Amino acid sequence: MFLPRLKLAICLVVVLHVGTTFTASPDHVVLTLEEESEVYDVPCLEWQYFKVEFTEACKDLEILVSHQRGEPNLYVSRGATKYPTENSLAWSSYNWGSDRLAISSWDPEFTVGTFYIGVHAYCGDDVDTGNTPARFTVKASSVESSHYHDQIMPNGEALTGQIEKNGYGYFRFCIPDSCVNIEVNLGNCNDPTSCPNSYAWPELLVSRSIVVPTVNDQAWKLADINRRSVKIDHDDPEFYPGHYFVGVYGWCTAPDQCNDPSTCGPCDNYPITYDVSLTLKVITSGCKPKEPLGLCEGGGSAAVKVSVLVVVLTTLLTVIFMS
């Protein structure tokens, strides 16, 4: 009986070690989008925590802490960090008075799901409010997203651009639903007979996460002079709802490598004008919606399971050694 008991004891030690990595924390106050919370009074250097569900893949999350007194500071997290602090990986705002924080849906760390909000009642001689406790309200809202790339609207008008040889032009679009087939179209004169001095075969790039994709980056591409669009179907395992970035590259052949300008796409034909558009087709049957790509979750629920397991194993160990 010694060996089985030894194995169980080792197992218990491992579980107890894992359990000590979890600590109890106060419950979160659940916020409803677009609704201001009640007024909260938080003593100096203490925290009040909230959480909000955000499901709009193409919108930004804005959080407003309306200051009434003291110095409340704002910290927001996703994923495993459910109780953000000034030492956490978190979005933050700690202006004097009220805090307004916009979390962009273009942020690589953004994903729909639960956002955790911590408001810290900062006190000290370095602030005018001194040791005054914080009083504030919190409001979470969905707002339109903004970005420096021009946005291509699904089934909307084409956008026009101009590029130099070996140069890039950039755009963006957002897909809120995975039950769609999309096609990104690139238009320009690519017929040597119709436009011998201005025809070209620029490259088209579509990236899920790279803001300014290049021909060497991971992206959907043409890689062909005859195909002039990138198609991504709903059942593509790499297709998810969310934001996408589009690059147009001025591919061409250098003069010393272009013996016949009517067949090689010469660099001398640049700059060129082109247009890009986005065609979207909704799939009404046989499609199971996907969630946007997300971060790994962890924390509290695992702590409860480990604690229960420790109690069970402790009881079992006592019974074995006393028998």
Side-chain angles (χ1 to χ4, degrees):
M1 290 294 294
F2 175 76
L3 185 58
R5 292 178 181 179
L6 179 60
K7 288 181 179 178
L8 184 59
I10 292 173
C11 215
L12 180 60
V13 169
V14 171
V15 173
L16 283 170
H17 176 72
V18 173
T20 58
T21 64
F22 298 90
T23 56
S25 296
D27 292 338
H28 295 82
V29 175
V30 178
L31 297 177
T32 301
L33 279 177
E34 318 303 338
E35 293 184 11
E36 188 173 19
S37 74
E38 63 183 77
V39 176
Y40 285 87
D41 288 292
V42 179
C44 276
L45 304 180
E46 293 192 12
W47 293 81
Q48 177 64 52
Y49 284 101
F50 307 83
K51 65 180 179 180
V52 63
E53 290 295 321
F54 195 73
T55 59
E56 299 181 78
C58 296
K59 296 288 186 71
D60 292 353
L61 173 62
E62 182 180 84
I63 299 168
L64 173 64
V65 175
S66 296
H67 156 270
Q68 294 187 11
R69 74 179 184 191
E71 182 50 42
N73 291 332
L74 172 63
Y75 300 84
V76 183
S77 64
R78 277 281 293 119
T81 304
K82 293 178 169 56
Y83 298 93
T85 71
E86 67 273 22
N87 298 316
S88 302
L89 176 64
W91 295 277
S92 60
S93 176
Y94 32 85
N95 296 319
W96 304 121
S98 297
D99 288 291
R100 184 185 299 271
L101 176 64
I103 301 175
S104 173
S105 50
W106 297 97
D107 188 323
E109 296 293 330
F110 174 92
T111 181
V112 298
T114 306
F115 284 78
Y116 301 99
I117 302 165
V119 181
H120 185 227
Y122 186 83
C123 294
D125 296 336
D126 55 333
V127 292
D128 290 341
T129 51
N131 292 318
T132 304
R135 173 176 290 177
F136 57 88
T137 61
V138 180
K139 182 179 180 181
S141 303
S142 170
V143 298
E144 292 295 328
S145 184
S146 62
H147 194 271
Y148 54 88
H149 290 341
D150 290 335
Q151 185 173 8
I152 311 170
M153 300 305 296
N155 300 326
E157 293 185 2
L159 300 185
T160 301
Q162 186 178 75
I163 48 172
E164 300 285 344
K165 63 181 181 181
N166 301 318
Y168 286 91
Y170 290 108
F171 303 86
R172 62 185 173 96
F173 65 87
C174 191
I175 303 297
D177 186 357
S178 63
C179 285
V180 296
N181 292 340
I182 65 173
E183 183 173 11
V184 185
N185 309 287
L186 175 60
N188 69 287
C189 183
N190 57 10
D191 181 4
T193 304
S194 302
C195 43
N197 298 318
S198 60
Y199 85 94
W201 296 308
E203 176 63 283
L204 179 64
L205 315 164
V206 180
S207 171
R208 202 173 55 197
S209 58
I210 302 173
V211 178
V212 286
T214 70
V215 290
N216 297 318
D217 291 324
Q218 185 184 52
W220 287 274
K221 303 168 185 175
L222 297 177
D224 192 303
I225 64 172
N226 297 313
R227 186 162 58 96
R228 295 288 92 194
S229 67
V230 168
K231 296 180 180 180
I232 309 173
D233 289 340
H234 70 281
D235 54 1
D236 186 322
E238 299 297 335
F239 174 62
Y240 288 86
H243 293 291
Y244 290 80
F245 301 93
V246 177
V248 180
Y249 172 63
W251 180 88
C252 63
T253 304
D256 61 346
Q257 298 175 333
C258 185
N259 296 324
D260 183 357
S262 67
T263 62
C264 64
C267 291
D268 289 343
N269 285 3
Y270 282 82
I272 66 163
T273 300
Y274 63 89
D275 61 65
V276 289
S277 62
L278 175 64
T279 304
L280 183 149
K281 180 181 178 181
V282 177
I283 306 302
T284 56
S285 62
C287 177
K288 182 179 180 180
K290 301 177 184 176
E291 292 295 328
L293 283 174
L295 304 174
C296 293
E297 296 284 350
S301 61
V304 173
K305 293 176 182 177
V306 169
S307 298
V308 171
L309 184 58
V310 169
V311 171
V312 171
L313 287 177
T314 302
T315 303
L316 183 59
L317 185 64
T318 302
V319 170
I320 290 173
F321 276 93
M322 290 181 65
S323 61

